[in-house]
Amino acid sequence: MVVLALALVAIAVLLGTAPLFFEIKVEPLPVQSTPYVRAEDAGATVHNLLIFFVLLLGATAAIYILFTRRRLLNLFLYFVWYVLAVGVVQFYTILYYWTGLLDEINAVRLMWTSLLFGLAVAFLIHRRRGDLLLGFLGALAGVMFVWLLPEPTVAALLVALPVYDYVMVSRGLLGKLVRKSKEAAGGGGGGARGDTPLFGFVVRLRNMSLGVGDFVVYAMALSYVVTKLVHLGGGAALLSLAAGVVLIYLGLRLTVSVFLKRWGYGPALPLPILLLSPLIAAAWLLPA
């Protein structure tokens, strides 16, 4: 299941970066990145990081507060996934139309279909199904960040998010949420087929669960590498994507050995992103 999940991340990256394989230079998309700014100076990067982490902390706090209020938590979950599903489909419709890979008639159809797709995803959440679809949508959102945010902000997030993940899981709200979830599920909340009160925020795999945010960051890292290395040729970009997926897989295996066997849970970003760091650094050093 982990291999299949990472394969879906790779597919999301390919879908999100496909225009670059046909047209190396893509004009900026007509999509607002508010509240983020697109400048690439240090001040803009700090501003974007603050906005990102304030929103992330706010969402985590909301989940923690609503954890014992199941009806309110479910309503929050439906809303978040409806907005995310609709937003992802509409963003990629705009991307493909803007780059000439989609005609106007089908673009309009997809924009309207996205509303129904959002309802379908919310229904799956209600039925507690569709784990891999949620991971796939999270991965598509991660690629979307690379299109919308300036390069220094993306690179800074790839450095900061693994640190944030480790601190929040080992000593912060995320760790408390995982423990509360395992207690509420009778101690078996980490399994794939076992239910978990955090369903919708985590993707249940066969022998472990990954946060949807992990899929976002994996795809963000891989798409950042691909968007830079595609300038060296499509073959180089595809090889870097394949290598990146293998490194993430090895990082997850290490995570199981280092954290899961010790705590029963653990942060899924630090070790995979650490192994990916040479590819990320190589991408950063390449000229735009």
Side-chain angles (χ1 to χ4, degrees):
M1 287 291 283
V2 173
V3 173
L4 178 58
L6 293 180
L8 289 176
V9 172
I11 292 171
V13 172
L14 288 174
L15 287 173
T17 58
L20 297 175
F21 287 86
F22 296 96
E23 183 180 349
I24 296 299
K25 274 293 185 182
V26 177
E27 295 296 322
L29 298 178
V31 178
Q32 292 295 324
S33 58
T34 307
Y36 303 103
V37 295
R38 291 190 175 181
E40 297 192 357
D41 57 89
T45 301
V46 171
H47 171 272
N48 289 339
L49 287 177
L50 286 174
I51 293 294
F52 189 95
F53 281 105
V54 165
L55 293 175
L56 188 58
L57 281 168
T60 305
I63 297 167
Y64 187 81
I65 293 169
L66 296 174
F67 184 81
T68 56
R69 299 169 175 85
R70 302 314 303 276
R71 184 170 298 178
L72 289 176
L73 182 62
N74 286 336
L75 289 174
F76 177 73
L77 193 60
Y78 301 151
F79 172 77
V80 168
W81 275 108
Y82 178 81
V83 171
L84 179 63
V86 172
V88 164
V89 173
Q90 293 193 354
F91 173 82
Y92 282 93
T93 299
I94 294 170
L95 172 65
Y96 275 54
Y97 174 72
W98 188 251
T99 54
L101 298 178
L102 187 66
D103 62 82
E104 184 175 355
I105 293 176
N106 285 314
V108 172
R109 288 172 178 168
L110 281 173
M111 294 294 275
W112 284 108
T113 303
S114 68
L115 304 178
L116 296 176
F117 180 67
L119 291 175
V121 171
F123 177 74
L124 285 174
I125 294 289
H126 177 69
R127 300 290 296 176
R128 307 184 80 77
R129 295 290 184 270
D131 293 77
L132 289 176
L133 175 61
L134 301 187
F136 183 61
L137 288 173
L140 288 172
V143 185
M144 190 169 67
F145 276 120
V146 176
W147 280 104
L148 293 177
L149 297 177
E151 182 183 342
T153 298
V154 173
L157 284 172
L158 293 177
V159 172
L161 281 169
V163 177
Y164 171 90
D165 189 42
Y166 177 80
V167 172
M168 288 294 284
V169 170
S170 62
R171 301 183 182 182
L173 284 181
L174 287 178
K176 292 180 180 179
L177 276 170
V178 172
R179 290 192 292 272
K180 289 178 70 171
S181 175
K182 291 172 74 69
E183 291 169 3
R193 302 297 70 167
D195 200 3
T196 169
L198 287 177
F199 174 75
F201 304 106
V202 301
V203 175
R204 300 168 299 182
L205 303 175
R206 182 164 296 147
N207 56 357
M208 65 188 299
S209 295
L210 289 175
V212 173
D214 299 327
F215 285 84
V216 174
V217 181
Y218 296 156
M220 188 189 305
L222 292 173
S223 57
Y224 174 70
V225 171
V226 169
T227 55
K228 295 299 293 290
L229 294 186
V230 75
H231 295 279
L232 301 179
L238 291 175
L239 283 174
S240 69
L241 175 59
V245 169
V246 171
L247 290 171
I248 291 173
Y249 176 75
L250 293 175
L252 286 174
R253 292 289 299 270
L254 283 174
T255 298
V256 171
S257 300
V258 173
F259 295 117
L260 265 65
K261 289 185 178 179
R262 178 181 176 186
W263 298 338
Y265 61 91
L269 289 183
L271 295 177
I273 299 301
L274 178 63
L275 293 184
L276 266 180
S277 59
L279 275 178
I280 296 171
W284 170 260
L285 293 173
L286 280 176

